[in-house]
Amino acid sequence: MKVVVAHNRYREAIPSGENVIVDTEIAQLRAAGIEVLPFQRSSDSIGDLPLAEKALLPLSPIYGRSAQRDLSRLIESERPDVLHLHNPYPLLSPWVVRTAHAHGVPVVQTVHNYRQVCSSGLYFRDGHNCTDCRGKLIGWPAVQHRCYRGSAAQSALMATTLAVHRPTWRSVDRFIALTDRIAAHLRDYGISDEHIVVKPNGLPDPGEPAPLGDGFLYGARLSPEKGLDLLLDAWQRHPDGSLGTLRIAGDGELRPLAEKAAAERSDVIYLGILDQEGMRAARRESAVVVAVPTWNDTLPTVILEAMAAGRPVLGTAVGGIPYLVGSGAEAAGWVVEPSGLADALPIARAGAPAFAAAARRRYLTHFHPDVLTPRLIEIYSSLTANSDHLPR
């Protein structure tokens, strides 16, 4: 089987779990014997584009002329069985769906965010969850609030793009929803259940877990929607040292908040930006990984990494977190309302040893490549078996 994987990479200067997820999935597919043809553009390349292409950049989210030309050439020369789309913005454009269909190639898209409706993709603005654009023909609230890159002009373009490509998205042959929350978003958008498959991302097995450390690890972009201020407020309600150590890793606009907490309390350490090995070391030193966003986060990779390493998770009951952590006998930790985080911290610290094995077991059962890669190949196979309706 031959698969084109299409993805517009975010700027590499900005830590992007999505880039890592796409690269990991490509490696897993190749290991399973699938021939993968990456069709990727990077936002880092915008500064190096010829002047003529730069002049057309404002229209790229709608059409992306050079991307359609190059994709057509790739399809004509390689004759792939499926196109797997991840993020199309800004350089690929959702038009790649139409280009693939024009050549008789079915399309599957992994939905990483809410950008079928929301210009920012987050359903979050000004410190709170927001669905003002849901159900509207054109998302004018996004223009009013400058939701896309802080620009009214760019927000207007993105809102127009989403309106223009509503029929494009509804022509996608199969959507991969990372969690049940994304599946509900797609149904609300008008996608039928028969075109949606819930399949999370997976991570390579890091091997047998190290013994539990002590305390908590928070690793995320330090921005309001990721919940650092919520966590530090909950932490401050406990005496210094009573919960072990809180390790904070990451960077962003709330970095001064992390540095201030580390300066004021002996049980808070700000680790700064860590590479993958640094994060592995921080997990080994900790007993519980904290994921406490206040927005409807789709699939925080930090939770998958925690379970793979045998670390239970304390998460907020938003977005895809309840799906990832699980419940009952399969629970890999604790899911609480944001208002209950302070009370949950000592419970999680005391209960970590009892949940460590369950966290590792949940990873092996639900998020290991040996489980997820065959499921992805099955999705591809179901499309190629039923693609006779597409033109060739």
Side-chain angles (χ1 to χ4, degrees):
M1 181 179 291
K2 192 179 293 187
V3 179
V4 172
V5 174
H7 176 53
N8 192 119
R9 302 180 70 87
Y10 293 104
R11 294 184 185 275
E12 297 296 349
I14 302 173
S16 171
E18 192 170 311
N19 289 346
V20 173
I21 284 167
V22 173
D23 292 343
T24 299
E25 191 167 86
I26 288 174
Q28 291 167 353
L29 286 168
R30 285 174 169 164
I34 302 298
E35 183 177 354
V36 179
L37 306 170
F39 182 74
Q40 303 193 31
R41 297 291 185 272
S42 173
S43 294
D44 285 329
S45 68
I46 290 175
D48 299 326
L49 293 175
L51 288 177
E53 290 192 32
K54 282 185 179 179
L56 294 174
L57 271 178
L59 298 178
S60 291
I62 296 177
Y63 179 61
R65 183 176 66 178
S66 66
Q68 310 320 312
R69 180 195 62 221
D70 294 345
L71 179 59
S72 289
R73 290 174 179 169
L74 178 64
I75 291 174
E76 290 167 1
S77 65
E78 297 291 340
R79 306 303 295 170
D81 298 290
V82 178
L83 183 139
H84 187 166
L85 175 62
H86 289 269
N87 169 45
Y89 300 112
L91 298 176
L92 294 184
S93 161
W95 206 284
V96 296
V97 175
R98 302 188 187 195
T99 299
H101 281 166
H103 290 276
V105 178
V107 176
V108 57
Q109 193 211 4
T110 295
V111 182
H112 294 268
N113 52 43
Y114 305 102
R115 192 162 272 156
Q116 280 80 11
V117 175
C118 175
S119 291
S120 74
L122 300 178
Y123 274 157
F124 187 93
R125 68 168 176 84
D126 299 332
H128 65 273
N129 291 309
C130 171
T131 56
D132 288 354
C133 292
R134 191 168 67 187
K136 291 181 169 58
L137 185 62
I138 296 182
W140 292 118
V143 182
Q144 177 186 357
H145 297 290
R146 303 172 182 262
C147 291
Y148 188 64
R149 297 183 176 177
S151 163
Q154 292 192 59
S155 297
L157 175 62
M158 182 56 70
T160 301
T161 298
L162 299 183
V164 167
H165 282 298
R166 190 171 287 110
T168 306
W169 289 128
R170 290 176 176 167
S171 74
V172 168
D173 300 273
R174 194 77 77 248
F175 287 99
I176 295 177
L178 297 179
T179 68
D180 53 358
R181 179 79 187 202
I182 289 291
H185 156 71
L186 291 169
R187 284 193 291 270
D188 184 66
Y189 186 67
I191 306 301
S192 64
D193 282 337
E194 66 184 20
H195 289 96
I196 302 170
V197 177
V198 177
K199 186 202 76 67
N201 295 319
L203 292 177
D205 191 343
E208 285 301 310
L212 287 185
D214 184 48
F216 298 79
L217 171 64
Y218 171 94
R221 186 172 61 251
L222 304 186
S223 54
E225 74 277 5
K226 291 292 187 178
L228 176 63
D229 51 349
L230 172 70
L231 173 60
L232 289 177
D233 179 69
W235 196 263
Q236 292 286 354
R237 300 185 191 185
H238 298 276
D240 196 324
S242 64
L243 297 173
T245 301
L246 172 60
R247 299 169 183 86
I248 301 172
D251 197 9
E253 61 190 280
L254 296 186
R255 177 172 179 165
L257 195 63
E259 293 174 330
K260 181 174 182 290
E264 292 177 348
R265 290 185 59 126
S266 64
D267 59 356
V268 177
I269 299 174
Y270 175 55
L271 301 172
I273 302 174
L274 299 180
D275 58 15
Q276 289 187 353
E277 182 52 44
M279 283 298 295
R280 282 193 288 268
R283 275 192 296 273
R284 285 194 296 269
E285 294 174 353
S286 305
V288 179
V289 170
V290 184
V292 289
T294 55
W295 75 291
N296 288 314
D297 207 340
T298 50
L299 192 144
T301 304
V302 66
I303 294 180
L304 301 181
E305 293 169 337
M307 292 188 295
R311 265 51 182 172
V313 176
L314 173 58
T316 42
V318 299
I321 292 177
Y323 173 90
L324 295 177
V325 176
S327 60
E330 289 197 333
W334 308 264
V335 175
V336 299
E337 296 297 328
S339 60
L341 183 58
D343 291 336
L345 285 167
I347 295 172
R349 189 191 186 202
F355 277 88
R360 173 68 177 172
R361 186 166 56 250
R362 183 162 177 79
Y363 162 74
L364 293 173
T365 304
H366 296 281
F367 305 104
H368 194 282
D370 289 351
V371 175
L372 294 177
T373 303
R375 287 182 59 193
L376 181 56
I377 295 172
E378 287 176 8
I379 294 169
Y380 294 158
S381 298
S382 70
L383 293 179
T384 58
N386 295 283
S387 60
D388 293 340
H389 68 285
L390 294 168
R392 281 283 179 185

